[in-house]
Amino acid sequence: LLVAPAHSAPETYVIDTSHSYTHFEVGHLGITAIRGRFNKTTGKITLDRAAGSGSIEAEIDASSVSTGHDRRDELLRTESYFNTAKFPTITYRSGKLHFKGDTLVGADGELTMLGVTRPVRLDITSFKCITHPVNKREICGAVAQGVLQRADFGMTQVSRSVSEDVRIFIGIEALKN
């Protein structure tokens, strides 16, 4: 596969929902971790790799939460956790991307969840753009991770068996518009 060359103008990429997932991990009882994911992430990414700038606009369907356990998933949709009836989406917006050369390495943005907006930094641990082998369009992929505190978003009425720290992992593929 060919690595796509850096361009001198901003380019927009649309998140490929079928190949992009937001995962999370929380400690449980101090002895293990519970992992889950959101099955529906949409949005767009604008990159100007030559100028070292860009933006991210992502929207997560909170009701698409999945932990592999139906009863837990239903509980996570209630008012005690994601309250999907009142807050159906989680958003992340960043206008401050960090580059090393023309490689994206981080983003400082704002996460809105449960009606609360807080700053969240994402470290991009993998970033690469190629020409898609089937449709011949440019596609970029990234793996991002960060940590947030449940209480920062008002998620305080939940069980004490769940850790305060929530680790997030985001795998994104986005096609050039």
mmCIF file of all heavy atoms in Angstrom, residues 98-140:
data_model
loop_
_atom_site.group_PDB
_atom_site.id
_atom_site.type_symbol
_atom_site.label_atom_id
_atom_site.label_comp_id
_atom_site.label_asym_id
_atom_site.label_seq_id
_atom_site.Cartn_x
_atom_site.Cartn_y
_atom_site.Cartn_z
ATOM 1 N N HIS A 98 -2.154 18.134 17.322
ATOM 2 C CA HIS A 98 -0.702 18.165 17.473
ATOM 3 C C HIS A 98 -0.077 17.221 16.450
ATOM 4 O O HIS A 98 -0.523 16.078 16.297
ATOM 5 C CB HIS A 98 -0.296 17.744 18.887
ATOM 6 C CG HIS A 98 -0.955 18.572 19.953
ATOM 7 N ND1 HIS A 98 -0.527 19.825 20.281
ATOM 8 C CD2 HIS A 98 -2.027 18.319 20.733
ATOM 9 C CE1 HIS A 98 -1.300 20.315 21.231
ATOM 10 N NE2 HIS A 98 -2.230 19.423 21.516
ATOM 11 N N PHE A 99 0.944 17.708 15.788
ATOM 12 C CA PHE A 99 1.628 16.937 14.753
ATOM 13 C C PHE A 99 3.115 16.810 15.077
ATOM 14 O O PHE A 99 3.700 17.686 15.714
ATOM 15 C CB PHE A 99 1.503 17.638 13.391
ATOM 16 C CG PHE A 99 0.130 17.573 12.802
ATOM 17 C CD1 PHE A 99 -0.873 18.440 13.218
ATOM 18 C CD2 PHE A 99 -0.168 16.639 11.818
ATOM 19 C CE1 PHE A 99 -2.138 18.388 12.670
ATOM 20 C CE2 PHE A 99 -1.434 16.580 11.260
ATOM 21 C CZ PHE A 99 -2.415 17.459 11.687
ATOM 22 N N LYS A 100 3.701 15.731 14.631
ATOM 23 C CA LYS A 100 5.147 15.557 14.608
ATOM 24 C C LYS A 100 5.470 15.349 13.136
ATOM 25 O O LYS A 100 5.154 14.302 12.568
ATOM 26 C CB LYS A 100 5.560 14.353 15.448
ATOM 27 C CG LYS A 100 7.053 14.183 15.563
ATOM 28 C CD LYS A 100 7.386 13.067 16.525
ATOM 29 C CE LYS A 100 8.892 13.018 16.717
ATOM 30 N NZ LYS A 100 9.242 11.976 17.693
ATOM 31 N N GLY A 101 6.011 16.395 12.507
ATOM 32 C CA GLY A 101 6.118 16.387 11.051
ATOM 33 C C GLY A 101 4.720 16.456 10.481
ATOM 34 O O GLY A 101 3.939 17.314 10.869
ATOM 35 N N ASP A 102 4.372 15.525 9.586
ATOM 36 C CA ASP A 102 3.003 15.511 9.067
ATOM 37 C C ASP A 102 2.160 14.395 9.682
ATOM 38 O O ASP A 102 1.094 14.060 9.198
ATOM 39 C CB ASP A 102 2.998 15.428 7.535
ATOM 40 C CG ASP A 102 3.537 14.114 7.002
ATOM 41 O OD1 ASP A 102 4.054 13.298 7.797
ATOM 42 O OD2 ASP A 102 3.448 13.888 5.783
ATOM 43 N N THR A 103 2.645 13.849 10.803
ATOM 44 C CA THR A 103 1.928 12.775 11.485
ATOM 45 C C THR A 103 1.160 13.313 12.682
ATOM 46 O O THR A 103 1.733 13.990 13.543
ATOM 47 C CB THR A 103 2.917 11.682 11.949
ATOM 48 O OG1 THR A 103 3.597 11.160 10.805
ATOM 49 C CG2 THR A 103 2.191 10.545 12.653
ATOM 50 N N LEU A 104 -0.099 13.013 12.729
ATOM 51 C CA LEU A 104 -0.956 13.417 13.846
ATOM 52 C C LEU A 104 -0.571 12.613 15.082
ATOM 53 O O LEU A 104 -0.520 11.381 15.046
ATOM 54 C CB LEU A 104 -2.420 13.161 13.479
ATOM 55 C CG LEU A 104 -3.492 13.553 14.469
ATOM 56 C CD1 LEU A 104 -3.473 15.058 14.742
ATOM 57 C CD2 LEU A 104 -4.861 13.129 13.944
ATOM 58 N N VAL A 105 -0.303 13.301 16.213
ATOM 59 C CA VAL A 105 0.120 12.623 17.438
ATOM 60 C C VAL A 105 -0.767 12.952 18.645
ATOM 61 O O VAL A 105 -0.622 12.336 19.703
ATOM 62 C CB VAL A 105 1.598 12.909 17.786
ATOM 63 C CG1 VAL A 105 2.522 12.352 16.705
ATOM 64 C CG2 VAL A 105 1.840 14.384 18.009
ATOM 65 N N GLY A 106 -1.660 13.933 18.528
ATOM 66 C CA GLY A 106 -2.502 14.263 19.667
ATOM 67 C C GLY A 106 -3.572 15.271 19.319
ATOM 68 O O GLY A 106 -3.530 15.920 18.266
ATOM 69 N N ALA A 107 -4.535 15.393 20.229
ATOM 70 C CA ALA A 107 -5.623 16.361 20.058
ATOM 71 C C ALA A 107 -6.061 16.853 21.430
ATOM 72 O O ALA A 107 -6.242 16.055 22.349
ATOM 73 C CB ALA A 107 -6.805 15.720 19.332
ATOM 74 N N ASP A 108 -6.201 18.142 21.556
ATOM 75 C CA ASP A 108 -6.814 18.751 22.734
ATOM 76 C C ASP A 108 -8.199 19.189 22.315
ATOM 77 O O ASP A 108 -8.344 19.986 21.386
ATOM 78 C CB ASP A 108 -6.009 19.962 23.219
ATOM 79 C CG ASP A 108 -4.682 19.568 23.825
ATOM 80 O OD1 ASP A 108 -4.632 18.532 24.520
ATOM 81 O OD2 ASP A 108 -3.686 20.281 23.611
ATOM 82 N N GLY A 109 -9.198 18.660 22.997
ATOM 83 C CA GLY A 109 -10.558 18.982 22.606
ATOM 84 C C GLY A 109 -11.495 18.999 23.784
ATOM 85 O O GLY A 109 -11.067 18.968 24.943
ATOM 86 N N GLU A 110 -12.772 19.028 23.460
ATOM 87 C CA GLU A 110 -13.812 19.041 24.476
ATOM 88 C C GLU A 110 -14.761 17.882 24.239
ATOM 89 O O GLU A 110 -15.261 17.691 23.126
ATOM 90 C CB GLU A 110 -14.579 20.359 24.433
ATOM 91 C CG GLU A 110 -13.740 21.535 24.871
ATOM 92 C CD GLU A 110 -14.538 22.820 24.948
ATOM 93 O OE1 GLU A 110 -15.516 22.976 24.182
ATOM 94 O OE2 GLU A 110 -14.187 23.660 25.797
ATOM 95 N N LEU A 111 -14.987 17.124 25.303
ATOM 96 C CA LEU A 111 -15.936 16.026 25.280
ATOM 97 C C LEU A 111 -17.207 16.491 25.975
ATOM 98 O O LEU A 111 -17.141 17.065 27.070
ATOM 99 C CB LEU A 111 -15.359 14.811 26.014
ATOM 100 C CG LEU A 111 -16.255 13.571 26.031
ATOM 101 C CD1 LEU A 111 -16.224 12.890 24.668
ATOM 102 C CD2 LEU A 111 -15.792 12.600 27.110
ATOM 103 N N THR A 112 -18.342 16.262 25.324
ATOM 104 C CA THR A 112 -19.631 16.579 25.931
ATOM 105 C C THR A 112 -20.373 15.271 26.153
ATOM 106 O O THR A 112 -20.604 14.501 25.209
ATOM 107 C CB THR A 112 -20.458 17.525 25.046
ATOM 108 O OG1 THR A 112 -19.721 18.732 24.856
ATOM 109 C CG2 THR A 112 -21.793 17.854 25.699
ATOM 110 N N MET A 113 -20.687 15.018 27.419
ATOM 111 C CA MET A 113 -21.397 13.808 27.804
ATOM 112 C C MET A 113 -22.334 14.170 28.954
ATOM 113 O O MET A 113 -21.946 14.921 29.856
ATOM 114 C CB MET A 113 -20.394 12.729 28.243
ATOM 115 C CG MET A 113 -21.025 11.426 28.658
ATOM 116 S SD MET A 113 -19.828 10.076 28.903
ATOM 117 C CE MET A 113 -18.845 10.683 30.266
ATOM 118 N N LEU A 114 -23.551 13.697 28.918
ATOM 119 C CA LEU A 114 -24.548 13.985 29.947
ATOM 120 C C LEU A 114 -24.772 15.482 30.107
ATOM 121 O O LEU A 114 -25.024 15.976 31.199
ATOM 122 C CB LEU A 114 -24.143 13.354 31.288
ATOM 123 C CG LEU A 114 -24.058 11.825 31.288
ATOM 124 C CD1 LEU A 114 -23.387 11.326 32.543
ATOM 125 C CD2 LEU A 114 -25.449 11.228 31.135
ATOM 126 N N GLY A 115 -24.633 16.224 29.017
ATOM 127 C CA GLY A 115 -24.854 17.662 29.031
ATOM 128 C C GLY A 115 -23.718 18.463 29.633
ATOM 129 O O GLY A 115 -23.837 19.673 29.799
ATOM 130 N N VAL A 116 -22.608 17.827 29.957
ATOM 131 C CA VAL A 116 -21.448 18.490 30.565
ATOM 132 C C VAL A 116 -20.298 18.448 29.571
ATOM 133 O O VAL A 116 -20.002 17.407 28.982
ATOM 134 C CB VAL A 116 -21.036 17.789 31.879
ATOM 135 C CG1 VAL A 116 -19.804 18.435 32.475
ATOM 136 C CG2 VAL A 116 -22.189 17.781 32.871
ATOM 137 N N THR A 117 -19.632 19.595 29.400
ATOM 138 C CA THR A 117 -18.494 19.683 28.487
ATOM 139 C C THR A 117 -17.225 19.908 29.293
ATOM 140 O O THR A 117 -17.157 20.816 30.122
ATOM 141 C CB THR A 117 -18.694 20.833 27.486
ATOM 142 O OG1 THR A 117 -19.911 20.592 26.757
ATOM 143 C CG2 THR A 117 -17.532 20.935 26.512
ATOM 144 N N ARG A 118 -16.216 19.066 29.035
ATOM 145 C CA ARG A 118 -14.934 19.158 29.732
ATOM 146 C C ARG A 118 -13.800 18.929 28.725
ATOM 147 O O ARG A 118 -13.966 18.222 27.741
ATOM 148 C CB ARG A 118 -14.817 18.091 30.822
ATOM 149 C CG ARG A 118 -15.801 18.220 31.940
ATOM 150 C CD ARG A 118 -15.317 19.257 32.944
ATOM 151 N NE ARG A 118 -16.158 19.261 34.115
ATOM 152 C CZ ARG A 118 -17.029 20.215 34.405
ATOM 153 N NH1 ARG A 118 -17.165 21.244 33.615
ATOM 154 N NH2 ARG A 118 -17.760 20.140 35.484
ATOM 155 N N PRO A 119 -12.624 19.508 29.027
ATOM 156 C CA PRO A 119 -11.479 19.252 28.156
ATOM 157 C C PRO A 119 -10.989 17.812 28.292
ATOM 158 O O PRO A 119 -10.968 17.266 29.403
ATOM 159 C CB PRO A 119 -10.416 20.236 28.657
ATOM 160 C CG PRO A 119 -10.833 20.630 30.024
ATOM 161 C CD PRO A 119 -12.317 20.426 30.112
ATOM 162 N N VAL A 120 -10.652 17.215 27.162
ATOM 163 C CA VAL A 120 -10.088 15.866 27.141
ATOM 164 C C VAL A 120 -8.975 15.835 26.101
ATOM 165 O O VAL A 120 -9.189 16.219 24.946
ATOM 166 C CB VAL A 120 -11.153 14.790 26.820
ATOM 167 C CG1 VAL A 120 -10.507 13.425 26.598
ATOM 168 C CG2 VAL A 120 -12.190 14.707 27.937
ATOM 169 N N ARG A 121 -7.808 15.402 26.526
ATOM 170 C CA ARG A 121 -6.671 15.242 25.612
ATOM 171 C C ARG A 121 -6.629 13.797 25.130
ATOM 172 O O ARG A 121 -6.779 12.866 25.915
ATOM 173 C CB ARG A 121 -5.358 15.576 26.300
ATOM 174 C CG ARG A 121 -4.175 15.298 25.387
ATOM 175 C CD ARG A 121 -2.873 15.852 25.888
ATOM 176 N NE ARG A 121 -1.777 15.408 25.052
ATOM 177 C CZ ARG A 121 -1.363 16.015 23.954
ATOM 178 N NH1 ARG A 121 -1.965 17.108 23.537
ATOM 179 N NH2 ARG A 121 -0.355 15.553 23.257
ATOM 180 N N LEU A 122 -6.451 13.654 23.841
ATOM 181 C CA LEU A 122 -6.270 12.334 23.246
ATOM 182 C C LEU A 122 -4.849 12.225 22.713
ATOM 183 O O LEU A 122 -4.367 13.131 22.022
ATOM 184 C CB LEU A 122 -7.265 12.118 22.102
ATOM 185 C CG LEU A 122 -8.738 12.084 22.468
ATOM 186 C CD1 LEU A 122 -9.587 11.943 21.208
ATOM 187 C CD2 LEU A 122 -9.033 10.945 23.447
ATOM 188 N N ASP A 123 -4.178 11.150 23.061
ATOM 189 C CA ASP A 123 -2.876 10.840 22.481
ATOM 190 C C ASP A 123 -3.117 9.908 21.307
ATOM 191 O O ASP A 123 -3.805 8.895 21.437
ATOM 192 C CB ASP A 123 -1.969 10.169 23.511
ATOM 193 C CG ASP A 123 -1.634 11.093 24.663
ATOM 194 O OD1 ASP A 123 -1.343 12.283 24.407
ATOM 195 O OD2 ASP A 123 -1.668 10.634 25.823
ATOM 196 N N ILE A 124 -2.576 10.275 20.159
ATOM 197 C CA ILE A 124 -2.726 9.448 18.960
ATOM 198 C C ILE A 124 -1.513 8.522 18.911
ATOM 199 O O ILE A 124 -0.384 8.964 18.707
ATOM 200 C CB ILE A 124 -2.791 10.314 17.674
ATOM 201 C CG1 ILE A 124 -3.781 11.468 17.817
ATOM 202 C CG2 ILE A 124 -3.081 9.438 16.466
ATOM 203 C CD1 ILE A 124 -5.212 11.096 17.989
ATOM 204 N N THR A 125 -1.749 7.233 19.144
ATOM 205 C CA THR A 125 -0.645 6.274 19.221
ATOM 206 C C THR A 125 -0.322 5.650 17.868
ATOM 207 O O THR A 125 0.731 5.035 17.714
ATOM 208 C CB THR A 125 -0.962 5.165 20.237
ATOM 209 O OG1 THR A 125 -2.162 4.497 19.838
ATOM 210 C CG2 THR A 125 -1.143 5.749 21.633
ATOM 211 N N SER A 126 -1.214 5.817 16.915
ATOM 212 C CA SER A 126 -0.991 5.303 15.569
ATOM 213 C C SER A 126 -1.742 6.198 14.594
ATOM 214 O O SER A 126 -2.896 6.556 14.848
ATOM 215 C CB SER A 126 -1.510 3.861 15.486
ATOM 216 O OG SER A 126 -1.435 3.381 14.159
ATOM 217 N N PHE A 127 -1.096 6.576 13.503
ATOM 218 C CA PHE A 127 -1.739 7.397 12.485
ATOM 219 C C PHE A 127 -1.091 7.093 11.143
ATOM 220 O O PHE A 127 0.141 7.100 11.024
ATOM 221 C CB PHE A 127 -1.586 8.890 12.795
ATOM 222 C CG PHE A 127 -2.115 9.785 11.697
ATOM 223 C CD1 PHE A 127 -3.475 10.014 11.563
ATOM 224 C CD2 PHE A 127 -1.249 10.381 10.791
ATOM 225 C CE1 PHE A 127 -3.960 10.831 10.547
ATOM 226 C CE2 PHE A 127 -1.719 11.192 9.770
ATOM 227 C CZ PHE A 127 -3.083 11.412 9.651
ATOM 228 N N LYS A 128 -1.924 6.807 10.156
ATOM 229 C CA LYS A 128 -1.391 6.494 8.830
ATOM 230 C C LYS A 128 -2.468 6.731 7.786
ATOM 231 O O LYS A 128 -3.636 6.424 8.000
ATOM 232 C CB LYS A 128 -0.940 5.033 8.782
ATOM 233 C CG LYS A 128 -0.267 4.636 7.488
ATOM 234 C CD LYS A 128 0.248 3.217 7.581
ATOM 235 C CE LYS A 128 0.978 2.839 6.306
ATOM 236 N NZ LYS A 128 1.528 1.483 6.387
ATOM 237 N N CYS A 129 -2.066 7.269 6.645
ATOM 238 C CA CYS A 129 -2.962 7.442 5.510
ATOM 239 C C CYS A 129 -2.426 6.623 4.344
ATOM 240 O O CYS A 129 -1.209 6.571 4.120
ATOM 241 C CB CYS A 129 -3.048 8.922 5.109
ATOM 242 S SG CYS A 129 -3.741 9.982 6.389
ATOM 243 N N ILE A 130 -3.338 5.981 3.622
ATOM 244 C CA ILE A 130 -2.975 5.156 2.472
ATOM 245 C C ILE A 130 -4.019 5.346 1.377
ATOM 246 O O ILE A 130 -5.058 5.970 1.597
ATOM 247 C CB ILE A 130 -2.902 3.653 2.840
ATOM 248 C CG1 ILE A 130 -4.277 3.135 3.281
ATOM 249 C CG2 ILE A 130 -1.844 3.396 3.909
ATOM 250 C CD1 ILE A 130 -4.385 1.623 3.397
ATOM 251 N N THR A 131 -3.736 4.786 0.222
ATOM 252 C CA THR A 131 -4.748 4.656 -0.812
ATOM 253 C C THR A 131 -5.467 3.338 -0.553
ATOM 254 O O THR A 131 -4.834 2.281 -0.475
ATOM 255 C CB THR A 131 -4.106 4.653 -2.220
ATOM 256 O OG1 THR A 131 -3.401 5.878 -2.394
ATOM 257 C CG2 THR A 131 -5.161 4.490 -3.296
ATOM 258 N N HIS A 132 -6.794 3.409 -0.378
ATOM 259 C CA HIS A 132 -7.583 2.211 -0.089
ATOM 260 C C HIS A 132 -7.389 1.206 -1.220
ATOM 261 O O HIS A 132 -7.513 1.570 -2.394
ATOM 262 C CB HIS A 132 -9.059 2.588 0.066
ATOM 263 C CG HIS A 132 -9.889 1.510 0.650
ATOM 264 N ND1 HIS A 132 -10.247 0.379 -0.053
ATOM 265 C CD2 HIS A 132 -10.441 1.377 1.887
ATOM 266 C CE1 HIS A 132 -10.987 -0.404 0.707
ATOM 267 N NE2 HIS A 132 -11.116 0.193 1.898
ATOM 268 N N PRO A 133 -7.088 -0.054 -0.904
ATOM 269 C CA PRO A 133 -6.794 -1.027 -1.961
ATOM 270 C C PRO A 133 -7.988 -1.393 -2.844
ATOM 271 O O PRO A 133 -7.792 -1.852 -3.965
ATOM 272 C CB PRO A 133 -6.302 -2.254 -1.191
ATOM 273 C CG PRO A 133 -6.835 -2.092 0.188
ATOM 274 C CD PRO A 133 -6.949 -0.618 0.429
ATOM 275 N N VAL A 134 -9.223 -1.150 -2.366
ATOM 276 C CA VAL A 134 -10.394 -1.520 -3.152
ATOM 277 C C VAL A 134 -10.977 -0.321 -3.887
ATOM 278 O O VAL A 134 -11.136 -0.339 -5.099
ATOM 279 C CB VAL A 134 -11.471 -2.185 -2.258
ATOM 280 C CG1 VAL A 134 -12.741 -2.467 -3.052
ATOM 281 C CG2 VAL A 134 -10.924 -3.464 -1.639
ATOM 282 N N ASN A 135 -11.287 0.761 -3.138
ATOM 283 C CA ASN A 135 -11.962 1.884 -3.795
ATOM 284 C C ASN A 135 -11.010 2.968 -4.286
ATOM 285 O O ASN A 135 -11.440 3.953 -4.865
ATOM 286 C CB ASN A 135 -13.039 2.480 -2.883
ATOM 287 C CG ASN A 135 -12.459 3.117 -1.639
ATOM 288 O OD1 ASN A 135 -11.321 3.572 -1.603
ATOM 289 N ND2 ASN A 135 -13.267 3.159 -0.593
ATOM 290 N N LYS A 136 -9.718 2.800 -4.036
ATOM 291 C CA LYS A 136 -8.646 3.693 -4.536
ATOM 292 C C LYS A 136 -8.757 5.122 -4.010
ATOM 293 O O LYS A 136 -8.135 6.025 -4.536
ATOM 294 C CB LYS A 136 -8.597 3.703 -6.072
ATOM 295 C CG LYS A 136 -8.465 2.332 -6.691
ATOM 296 C CD LYS A 136 -7.251 1.588 -6.201
ATOM 297 C CE LYS A 136 -7.135 0.232 -6.884
ATOM 298 N NZ LYS A 136 -6.353 -0.716 -6.130
ATOM 299 N N ARG A 137 -9.552 5.339 -2.962
ATOM 300 C CA ARG A 137 -9.645 6.658 -2.322
ATOM 301 C C ARG A 137 -8.661 6.714 -1.155
ATOM 302 O O ARG A 137 -8.332 5.690 -0.563
ATOM 303 C CB ARG A 137 -11.063 6.897 -1.795
ATOM 304 C CG ARG A 137 -12.084 7.070 -2.896
ATOM 305 C CD ARG A 137 -13.500 7.136 -2.385
ATOM 306 N NE ARG A 137 -13.694 8.168 -1.391
ATOM 307 C CZ ARG A 137 -14.741 8.203 -0.575
ATOM 308 N NH1 ARG A 137 -15.671 7.258 -0.636
ATOM 309 N NH2 ARG A 137 -14.870 9.178 0.308
ATOM 310 N N GLU A 138 -8.247 7.931 -0.818
ATOM 311 C CA GLU A 138 -7.369 8.076 0.334
ATOM 312 C C GLU A 138 -8.166 7.796 1.615
ATOM 313 O O GLU A 138 -9.302 8.244 1.770
ATOM 314 C CB GLU A 138 -6.774 9.478 0.408
ATOM 315 C CG GLU A 138 -5.760 9.606 1.528
ATOM 316 C CD GLU A 138 -5.062 10.961 1.575
ATOM 317 O OE1 GLU A 138 -5.233 11.773 0.643
ATOM 318 O OE2 GLU A 138 -4.352 11.201 2.551
ATOM 319 N N ILE A 139 -7.562 7.036 2.504
ATOM 320 C CA ILE A 139 -8.167 6.702 3.783
ATOM 321 C C ILE A 139 -7.102 6.857 4.861
ATOM 322 O O ILE A 139 -5.937 6.511 4.643
ATOM 323 C CB ILE A 139 -8.763 5.270 3.778
ATOM 324 C CG1 ILE A 139 -9.520 4.974 5.078
ATOM 325 C CG2 ILE A 139 -7.700 4.226 3.513
ATOM 326 C CD1 ILE A 139 -10.335 3.682 5.037
ATOM 327 N N CYS A 140 -7.503 7.431 5.989
ATOM 328 C CA CYS A 140 -6.590 7.576 7.123
ATOM 329 C C CYS A 140 -7.131 6.762 8.283
ATOM 330 O O CYS A 140 -8.343 6.658 8.473
ATOM 331 C CB CYS A 140 -6.460 9.039 7.552
ATOM 332 S SG CYS A 140 -5.675 10.089 6.311
#
